[in-house]
Amino acid sequence: MTTNRRDVLALAGITMAALGGCTMTDTDDTDSEPSPEPSGGDAPIDGQLLSADVDRAAPAVSDDALEALVDGVNTFSLALLGELADDEETNHFASPYSVSLALAMAWAGARGETETAMADTLAFPHDQQQLHETFNALSQSLEEDTPADGDDEDEDATEFTLRIANAIWGQADYPFGDAFLETLARNYGAGLRTLDFEAAPEPARAEINDWVAEETEDKIEELLPEGSVHGDTKLVLTNAIYFLANWANQFDEDETEDGPFTALDGSESTVPMMHQHLRTRYAAVDGHQVLELPYEGDATMVVFLPAAGEFEAFRDSLDVDRLDELLEATADASGDLALPRFEFESSFSVRDALAALGMEVAFTNQADFTGMLESDESAPSLMIEDVYHDAYVAVDEEGTEAAAATGVTMVPTSAPAETFDVTVDRPFLFAIRDDETGSLLFLGQVVDAGEAQ
């Protein structure tokens, strides 16, 4: 399969409406001048940008390497969809591309079993150096078609924005390694912003959330929920994506009218249905319908309408090969389309889904992220505490607005706690004790639990 610019955009983000992925351009988040001191020591706090003294690289990667990464992102995207869609009666929207990109930054510091498990789960096709260089090349490829401010003669008719921003937020005195910082600065445009999580976790959380809100045009206002950042937090890796595009052929608002929609559980509701007669790429395969809706700019929404009664089976069978088969089956056609207007937001932790897909070790004390630290430091290694994701989508007669953000929070590993197995299946004593004074307030025994029911 030959990968062209349009394929990269379609494949890297999967399909925004049906599967929840979205592709954006990359923004080098280095507005402030970087300090020559990359980490540690008397590093400033309160979000001041620190970075290795490097510029964003412009790597030359092969088409094969780029295609392999796109296929890997797609493989992970479809696997993640299956894990997130367990609640079959709930609408879902996510950007697996954002999750993959944020975790790629964490993977830069992973070693040993952790590195292997994350690569397998995320379907990373390359080694450390090539993976980061290829993500960088993909981001810059997506950036090429985003018009600069003032380039559009008719901004309303050709509105098209793709934007990606990455940032890393670290405890001011933690010994992050220069090599790790350089990798993220060179390939993701992500400089280290130092915060004092230990003394002021809530202001730190607010600052990160404010950054995400700004990068997503206030569509994602609280990526990190209350309690997600605390005194033990040492590192937060963030990715934010924003997408705004008009349809190449917009729907006439006067043609929108209420119509029935039957939910998965069989219940019926009335929703605003947009109508349009259009010429586009379309296919009917085994009773399933596939239709492309191009945007102004280099992006397309692909709508998959499974045959009646076969939604779950279709979704569960959708892998990269099946996706390629369906897309390749589309051909030029004309016809009538009725599409519901919709808008909603999804917010959730991806931790359990990622663990179920195979990278559980990254969330345990056995995690190995020593590649993030200076090799001569005795600070404990880090583990991923959680991966937060928030996504917003609005589809109307003019086009689509979508935003997503991912936050990876990391804390130090600790010595494994002693384990036990206690089954209270024979007579026992119990006490109720005041913690401050040690006074026994109540004391009792149970010699026959059956009589105590």
Side-chain angles (χ1 to χ4, degrees):
M1 177 175 79
T2 302
T3 303
N4 57 33
R5 284 274 304 124
R6 185 173 178 280
D7 292 333
V8 168
L9 280 161
L11 293 177
I14 307 296
T15 55
M16 246 189 318
L19 304 182
C22 42
T23 63
M24 314 297 158
T25 56
D26 194 272
T27 300
D28 188 352
D29 181 44
T30 54
D31 293 337
S32 303
E33 286 296 321
S35 165
E37 181 186 4
S39 64
D42 297 324
I45 59 175
D46 297 332
Q48 182 166 340
L49 182 66
L50 301 175
S51 177
D53 190 17
V54 295
D55 295 324
R56 181 77 180 270
V61 301
S62 68
D63 288 344
D64 288 344
L66 187 63
E67 182 176 326
L69 177 59
V70 170
D71 286 345
V73 171
N74 291 351
T75 298
F76 168 67
S77 297
L78 295 171
L80 185 62
L81 172 70
E83 289 295 325
L84 295 177
D86 285 343
D87 187 354
E88 296 176 343
E89 298 180 5
T90 300
N91 296 322
H92 288 282
F93 186 65
S95 172
Y97 183 81
S98 172
V99 176
S100 184
L101 192 60
L103 288 170
M105 292 192 289
W107 190 65
R111 299 294 182 265
E113 180 186 354
T114 304
E115 182 179 8
T116 301
M118 290 183 68
D120 291 345
T121 297
L122 299 165
F124 286 161
H126 306 307
D127 60 20
Q128 284 277 358
Q129 179 176 344
Q130 188 174 18
L131 187 283
H132 303 304
E133 290 178 350
T134 308
F135 254 125
N136 188 6
L138 176 58
S139 294
Q140 295 193 44
S141 176
L142 296 173
E143 188 177 14
E144 290 175 1
D145 286 340
T146 299
D149 292 341
D151 285 356
D152 293 331
E153 294 182 4
D154 186 353
E155 183 177 348
D156 291 336
T158 60
E159 190 166 17
F160 182 76
T161 301
L162 299 168
R163 186 167 68 241
I164 292 177
N166 303 304
I168 54 178
W169 314 77
Q171 178 63 37
D173 57 357
Y174 216 71
F176 298 107
D178 288 351
F180 171 68
L181 297 179
E182 181 175 336
T183 295
L184 269 55
R186 185 177 298 279
N187 295 291
Y188 300 95
L192 175 66
R193 298 171 181 267
T194 56
L195 295 171
D196 196 342
F197 295 113
E198 293 178 2
E202 272 302 295
R205 182 178 75 92
E207 182 159 343
I208 297 172
N209 283 338
D210 286 347
W211 177 88
V212 172
E214 182 177 357
E215 295 295 340
T216 60
E217 302 294 330
D218 293 325
K219 297 305 177 185
I220 309 298
E221 294 185 337
E222 192 171 12
L223 170 65
L224 301 179
E226 186 175 353
S228 61
V229 172
H230 46 78
D232 289 333
T233 302
K234 301 302 179 191
L235 181 67
V236 178
L237 303 133
T238 52
N239 167 265
I241 293 179
Y242 180 75
F243 175 84
L244 178 67
N246 288 347
W247 303 117
N249 299 293
Q250 294 187 1
F251 293 82
D252 185 348
E253 192 170 352
D254 292 337
E255 298 294 322
T256 299
E257 57 186 28
D258 289 344
F261 186 90
T262 303
L264 188 61
D265 63 3
S267 62
E268 190 172 285
S269 61
T270 300
V271 300
M273 298 290 289
M274 306 182 295
H275 293 267
Q276 182 179 159
H277 182 84
L278 73 162
R279 183 166 189 148
T280 187
R281 296 189 65 82
Y282 167 85
V285 180
D286 301 328
H288 311 303
Q289 294 177 288
V290 184
L291 180 139
E292 296 189 1
L293 285 174
Y295 294 103
E296 291 280 3
D298 225 347
T300 299
M301 175 183 285
V302 184
V303 177
F304 296 89
L305 182 63
E310 298 184 28
F311 176 82
E312 296 99 328
F314 176 86
R315 184 193 62 207
D316 294 345
S317 70
L318 197 57
D319 57 17
V320 170
D321 291 337
R322 179 65 166 159
L323 177 66
D324 287 344
E325 175 189 340
L326 292 169
L327 293 176
E328 290 171 2
T330 62
D332 189 48
S334 62
D336 295 315
L337 169 67
L339 179 71
R341 190 170 63 205
F342 60 91
E343 177 181 9
F344 67 95
E345 184 175 355
S346 297
S347 180
F348 46 85
S349 165
V350 196
R351 173 183 172 138
D352 291 345
L354 293 169
L357 290 172
M359 55 174 279
E360 183 176 6
V361 65
F363 302 100
T364 70
N365 282 322
Q366 285 69 51
D368 184 353
F369 287 100
T370 52
M372 294 182 173
L373 307 178
E374 293 287 1
S375 59
D376 59 348
E377 295 286 346
S378 59
S381 181
L382 299 176
M383 57 184 262
I384 298 176
E385 183 175 43
D386 215 328
V387 179
Y388 298 96
H389 189 72
D390 200 328
Y392 164 88
V393 62
V395 173
D396 62 16
E397 289 84 356
E398 293 184 358
T400 300
E401 184 175 27
T406 304
V408 181
T409 59
M410 305 194 70
V411 296
T413 56
S414 59
E418 182 181 355
T419 62
F420 58 82
D421 183 3
V422 176
T423 302
V424 184
D425 58 0
R426 54 189 181 272
F428 64 97
L429 300 171
F430 69 99
I432 299 177
R433 178 177 178 269
D434 176 68
D435 290 336
E436 184 173 348
T437 66
S439 300
L440 294 177
L441 303 179
F442 300 91
L443 182 65
Q445 68 174 29
V446 176
V447 296
D448 186 346
E451 290 292 328
Q453 301 308 304

